[in-house]
Amino acid sequence: MTVEHEIQKAAEILAKAKQAAASCGAGVSAESGIATFRDPGGVWDKLNPAEVGTTSGLLNTLDRNGRKLVPFFIELLEAFEQANPNPAHLALGDLEQMGILKTVITQNIDNLHQEAGNTDVVEVHGNGFRLACISCGKLKTRPRRELIAEIKSRIQELREYNLSTMAAIMPACEHCQALMRPDVVMFGEMVKDIPRAFDAARRCDAMLAIGTSGVVYPAAYLPFEAKDAGAPVIVVNPNENPFSRVSDAYIPMNAGTAMPKLVEAIKALRSA
Ligand code: APR
């Protein structure tokens, strides 16, 4: 099957959908300049998940070897600072406007789906720009670039690199002055909004699995959950992944190229 044929099949599925769901991974933000985790040169090629992927590991590394982490933190912060929604994010916003896509379930923490206009976004791994107080639990969402600029300037003022100095780069809680942390899910922590994510997968009339390697659970269950509930599954990923074998349409392309083509093909079907 040619790629164009797969796009046409996917468009025929989505043209009829009224409450599709999209299960998104880091590949959706790759073309916004945010590195994925497991592609060559990705985050886990540069950082050891055991050292920075768990809360205890990160605190330990900050205390023992904070200075080594700073360049990676700055690189990551700058990628998030410079990122904008790319054509894949914008196409998902279009699909919601067209009455096709209802829910975006994302493993990404970059807020780009919301900035692209999607209004029902389930962030199972949290949001990097929503801060949570480690003492009173209060949440505070900050504008992405404003928070990054504040953290970057605090990092540049650091003279000592240990747990207490590095923890102080985060804003304090307005209610109790305690430390705040990004409201994101580290390995071993409870993922967020899973009932809502599974409900969207079970109710959807089409499931898009976009830009995810499908190796992290429970998010990786979602396309299978939709399939089991009778929904067709459309996969968009330039590389092989666990979902291709259950897909009704498999578009082996970058999401930033595939998704606008998909929206155009749907519009052509609707105007025919
Ligand atoms: N368009 C579409 N897919 C892409 C693109 C692109 N431009 N670039 C890369 N991909 C695909 C890769 O082929 C890969 O399958 O995106 C996927 C990225 O996989 P991962 O890096 O494993 O990211 P993800 O699946 O989101 O990881 C899940 O793992 O480390 C944790 O919490 C982290 O949320 C993350 C979770």
Side-chain angles (χ1 to χ4, degrees), residues 175-191:
H175 301 274
C176 72
Q177 307 318 313
L179 187 66
M180 298 198 89
R181 59 164 276 186
D183 190 28
V184 297
V185 177
M186 306 290 276
F187 284 124
E189 290 182 340
M190 279 286 284
V191 288

Side-chain angles (χ1 to χ4, degrees), residues 25-28 30-31 36-39 44 107-108 125 185 187 210-216 236-241 253-256:
V28 174
E31 290 154 276
T36 63
F37 293 89
R38 295 172 183 83
D39 287 310
W44 298 142
Q107 299 170 77
N108 302 337
H125 292 169
V185 177
F187 284 124
I210 315 173
T212 178
S213 60
V215 297
V216 172
V236 179
N237 190 326
N239 301 312
E240 256 310 296
N241 57 83
M253 290 172 98
N254 283 348

Side-chain angles (χ1 to χ4, degrees), residues 157-238:
E157 286 157 17
L158 283 174
R159 294 291 166 267
E160 295 269 312
Y161 297 90
N162 57 51
L163 186 53
S164 58
T165 58
M166 296 199 76
I169 65 177
M170 296 305 293
C173 174
E174 289 166 350
H175 301 274
C176 72
Q177 307 318 313
L179 187 66
M180 298 198 89
R181 59 164 276 186
D183 190 28
V184 297
V185 177
M186 306 290 276
F187 284 124
E189 290 182 340
M190 279 286 284
V191 288
K192 298 177 181 292
D193 272 346
I194 277 303
R196 202 152 74 89
F198 274 79
D199 187 51
R202 288 182 187 124
R203 289 171 183 266
C204 74
D205 49 12
M207 168 61 84
L208 284 147
I210 315 173
T212 178
S213 60
V215 297
V216 172
Y217 288 84
Y221 283 126
L222 295 168
F224 298 112
E225 203 66 25
K227 186 79 181 181
D228 289 350
V233 173
I234 297 161
V235 175
V236 179
N237 190 326

